[in-house]
Amino acid sequence: LNTRRVNDVMSTPDGKFIVFTREGAADRKNGIVIASTEDPEHPKVIAEFTEGVTSGVHSAFVYKQDKYGTNVFLTNDGTGAMHVINIDDPYHPKEIAQWRTDRPDAGRTLHDIDVQDGLAYLSYWNDGLVILDVGNGMKGGTPSNPVLVSQYKYDLNALYAQVEAVGGPGFIRGTHTARRSGRYVFVGDEVFAAKPQATAGPSLLGLGRAYGRLHVLDVSDIAKPREVAWYEPRDGGTHNVWVAGDTLYLGDYQGGLRVLDVGGELRGDLLAQDREIAHVYTGDSKGNFPNAAMAWGAIYRDGKIYVPDVFSGLWIVRVEPKNELTP
């Protein structure tokens, strides 16, 4: 694949093709790579798309609509724009649209994209959560003509003033990920102290310990998202999340895996409400940094939770129900 870093991998709905994001290519042509899985044990590269996105693609989302075909919604490391690439013919991908927030390229960062029901949820770092109509129809949007539905911004500097107090100015913070489930959108921040602290243990890329809040936005009125609840772990951050039914799975960086009950009406501080169902610390004695956790995220499927940890590899976890005592 000619890449030093693959941050995101997603298949087409039929599983016949895989899209890889690419950063750090030796020839500096990053973009995305498309591979055929005709032979699943030996995926074959069939195409690349690099035009306008040679600076790197951090995240991408493959989405199929009967009316508009299969498209890849991807982030541009260089400009912070969203690009939409049609792959109805995966051997010849073509760009059909771009969309970006209203600020100079140098100050714009788009980190992640999630698409559901024709709506794209963009985690726009300094610009908060942006929701676009990309085929839902509520604003007349299509993949080739994304239209703004709403935006939710908040004061990151004020929210994480304690991080600056601990690690000094210049700390990393931004709207990192968003996941829609029912009436709620779960929005996670990525926050790192500017300087590692002696008590934090090994860190990612030489950064300090992770912080970060999971915001719970009620989008019953999608034109006016409003924050109604939050969850903020005390031992790490909120990197990648997965929601299945009434359960949320969270990669908590130094804290490992956290599993939360998000059923019913969500209001206020979810940590204080003891909504945690399970916690698995993903440090291992044989990891790159022995016994240190750096959980990247969590994916739930068929009763199992798959947790990639940067330091210790892939964990597969099953959460068992509590045993009830019979009087």
Side-chain angles (χ1 to χ4, degrees), residues 11-271:
S11 73
T12 54
D14 60 13
K16 293 182 178 180
F17 300 94
I18 300 175
V19 174
F20 297 83
T21 64
R22 187 162 63 181
E23 293 175 311
D27 58 6
R28 299 186 181 181
K29 292 182 179 180
N30 288 296
I32 59 172
V33 177
I34 303 172
S36 167
T37 57
E38 184 177 2
D39 179 356
E41 293 186 358
H42 303 91
K44 180 182 178 182
V45 173
I46 60 167
E48 298 180 355
F49 183 89
T50 62
E51 185 178 352
V53 287
T54 56
S55 59
V57 174
H58 192 74
S59 301
F61 196 96
V62 181
Y63 188 66
K64 182 179 181 180
Q65 297 162 285
D66 291 340
K67 190 174 181 180
Y68 302 113
T70 303
N71 296 287
V72 182
F73 297 80
L74 58 84
T75 68
N76 184 328
D77 289 358
T79 67
M82 178 187 76
H83 294 239
V84 185
I85 314 301
N86 181 267
I87 59 168
D88 285 339
D89 177 358
Y91 291 83
H92 301 94
K94 62 179 181 180
E95 182 172 287
I96 59 173
Q98 293 185 27
W99 193 93
R100 66 198 75 202
T101 54
D102 185 17
R103 68 163 65 226
D105 286 358
R108 186 191 308 110
T109 300
L110 173 58
H111 190 276
D112 202 12
I113 301 170
D114 180 42
V115 187
Q116 293 187 43
D117 299 322
L119 295 172
Y121 300 85
L122 279 59
S123 301
Y124 240 118
W125 205 252
N126 294 308
D127 292 312
L129 172 69
V130 171
I131 304 175
L132 302 178
D133 181 355
V134 293
N136 176 279
M138 65 171 58
K139 291 288 184 178
T142 67
S144 59
N145 180 39
V147 177
L148 179 67
V149 174
S150 59
Q151 183 175 10
Y152 182 82
K153 294 178 68 174
Y154 43 97
D155 190 335
L156 287 153
N157 289 332
L159 186 60
Y160 299 109
Q162 83 277 13
V163 180
E164 184 172 6
V166 170
F171 67 98
I172 293 172
R173 86 292 179 276
T175 303
H176 171 275
T177 192
R179 190 85 178 182
R180 173 75 184 267
S181 180
R183 65 191 283 196
Y184 299 115
V185 180
F186 298 90
V187 177
D189 296 338
E190 183 166 48
V191 184
F192 280 101
K195 294 184 295 185
Q197 295 86 54
T199 58
S203 61
L204 186 67
L205 301 175
L207 301 169
R209 64 150 283 194
Y211 297 80
R213 173 174 291 194
L214 186 70
H215 309 260
V216 184
L217 306 186
D218 188 327
V219 290
S220 299
D221 181 354
I222 200 164
K224 298 178 181 179
R226 59 191 182 94
E227 185 163 351
V228 295
W230 68 92
Y231 172 78
E232 192 165 351
R234 296 193 180 102
D235 59 355
T238 54
H239 195 233
N240 288 326
V241 302
W242 190 276
V243 185
D246 291 339
T247 308
L248 183 143
Y249 306 89
L250 168 67
D252 179 18
Y253 271 139
Q254 285 106 334
L257 167 71
R258 295 197 175 275
V259 183
L260 305 180
D261 171 12
V262 291
E265 186 172 8
L266 302 179
R267 293 289 184 270
D269 185 346
L270 303 184
L271 179 65

